[in-house]
Amino acid sequence: MSKVKIFADSTSDLPAGWVERYDIGLVPLYVVFGDETFRDGIDITPLDIYRRVEAEGQLPKTTAPSPKDFMSAFGPYIDQGMDIVYISLSSKLSSTYQNALIAAAEYPEGRVHIVDSLTLCSGIGMLVMKAVRLAEQGWGAAEIAGQVAALRSQVETQFVIDTLDYLYKGGRCSGMQNIMGSLLQIRPVLKMVDGNIIPAYKVRGRKEKAVQLMLDNALADKDQMDEDLILVAHTLAEEEAHRLSVILREQTGVREVAVAEAGCVISSHCGPHTVAIMYARKSAAS
């Protein structure tokens, strides 16, 4: 059986050092400011984005890797005789998945398996780490891809944003919603459902109330949590993310609770001081 290489894209937002530690292939999305194009996490950082948005008043656009980008990433491993499993950003949020499928079709059948995560940020990272563990156990690429696809509905992803400005400037809420949200201090708790971002709750008042609700929701689920991993992601909210990770570590039986800094794509759409909690539910057979 061929060795399997696990791939993700730069929106998977794994904790620092994990990509190298677990030998994960990473394909960057692009961040575009006017005529300038940057590779997410390589040529530009979230802090760079916030500085430019503050200075210029305009949000960047984000674009998917091209099929050629995927082929450049996959090709060397195919040439070494390895099979590939790539776990993409939700197909309902980006053309990344479709472009990866186009690239996969250029290789012999069964060599490259593409899985739509139907989530984003470290929610993808949860699935990536499941795939890594299965590859370490000697599973084949087709088996890993099938298992990851079966697990994706069990991944819970909720996040709290600090300001509606980025969603508004990015066209994801109306001007009136932005004004009213600011006046009433509404802090939405957002959730991934079937590959889409939906508002799960709207909390009036301080951001801390929304974050506490998100935490309470996770803790209410603790008996149903998969015991391997919880990921807490953030954009310029390291202290808050660390606090959440400590509470989750103390109050659940999950073996590892890790903190990840979200990359440029999440930063571009959600803005600074966003915090998120991702975990997987146990399967029905558990």
Side-chain angles (χ1 to χ4, degrees):
M1 184 178 293
S2 299
K3 187 177 178 182
V4 179
K5 175 76 172 183
I6 306 301
F7 267 89
D9 54 60
S10 59
T11 65
S12 55
D13 295 336
L14 288 160
W18 283 26
V19 169
E20 294 79 13
R21 183 189 310 173
Y22 298 107
D23 192 28
I24 299 164
L26 211 60
V27 182
L29 273 74
Y30 293 97
V31 178
V32 182
F33 276 101
D35 296 330
E36 297 179 273
T37 300
F38 306 92
R39 292 170 296 173
D40 178 12
I42 299 173
D43 307 318
I44 193 168
T45 68
L47 190 55
D48 295 330
I49 289 175
Y50 300 139
R51 286 170 175 164
R52 288 195 64 156
V53 170
E54 185 175 354
E56 301 170 14
Q58 296 293 323
L59 290 182
K61 296 179 180 180
T62 56
T63 61
S66 68
K68 184 177 179 181
D69 290 331
F70 282 108
M71 292 179 67
S72 296
F74 297 160
Y77 297 95
I78 294 293
D79 292 343
Q80 295 172 38
M82 300 176 72
D83 293 335
I84 289 169
V85 175
Y86 164 68
I87 304 167
S88 81
L89 172 63
S90 173
S91 62
K92 298 181 182 180
L93 302 177
S94 170
S95 61
T96 301
Y97 171 72
Q98 293 297 333
N99 289 351
L101 285 178
I102 293 170
E106 296 297 316
Y107 298 104
E109 186 175 355
R111 299 299 307 280
V112 180
H113 298 262
I114 310 298
V115 182
D116 182 356
S117 74
L118 295 177
T119 189
L120 81 175
C121 193
S122 298
I124 304 170
M126 297 289 301
L127 294 173
V128 169
M129 292 310 301
K130 286 289 186 183
V132 166
R133 299 307 186 195
L134 294 175
E136 290 174 344
Q137 294 169 27
W139 286 43
E143 296 173 299
I144 294 172
Q147 183 70 3
V148 170
L151 289 172
R152 60 191 173 186
S153 64
Q154 296 164 217
V155 174
E156 294 287 334
T157 299
Q158 291 194 31
F159 51 107
V160 174
I161 61 174
D162 189 45
T163 173
L164 292 173
D165 289 347
Y166 277 65
L167 291 176
Y168 165 60
K169 290 175 182 176
R172 287 167 174 78
C173 73
S174 71
M176 183 57 67
Q177 286 174 322
N178 183 53
I179 292 169
M180 292 304 294
S182 298
L183 289 175
L184 299 176
Q185 287 191 304
I186 292 174
R187 312 288 184 176
V189 179
L190 305 176
K191 184 176 182 178
M192 292 299 301
V193 176
D194 296 328
N196 291 305
I197 304 170
I198 67 164
Y201 309 96
K202 293 180 181 178
V203 180
R204 184 176 297 179
R206 295 173 60 84
K207 176 190 170 188
E208 288 77 9
K209 289 176 61 178
V211 172
Q212 185 62 48
L213 177 59
M214 177 176 66
L215 175 62
D216 290 344
N217 290 338
L219 291 175
D221 232 6
K222 64 182 181 180
D223 292 338
Q224 299 303 316
M225 284 182 181
D226 181 276
E227 296 178 354
D228 285 340
L229 177 66
I230 295 173
L231 290 175
V232 181
H234 71 94
T235 62
L236 295 188
E238 184 174 5
E239 184 175 334
E240 190 168 33
H242 176 71
R243 180 183 68 82
L244 292 175
S245 73
V246 170
I247 295 171
L248 288 163
R249 189 175 297 113
E250 291 175 346
Q251 297 191 28
T252 71
V254 176
R255 284 185 282 272
E256 184 167 16
V257 181
V259 173
E261 182 178 8
C264 294
V265 173
I266 292 298
S267 298
S268 296
H269 296 304
C270 295
H273 314 303
T274 296
V275 287
I277 297 173
M278 290 86 166
Y279 59 92
R281 290 175 176 268
K282 294 177 182 177
S283 64
S286 296

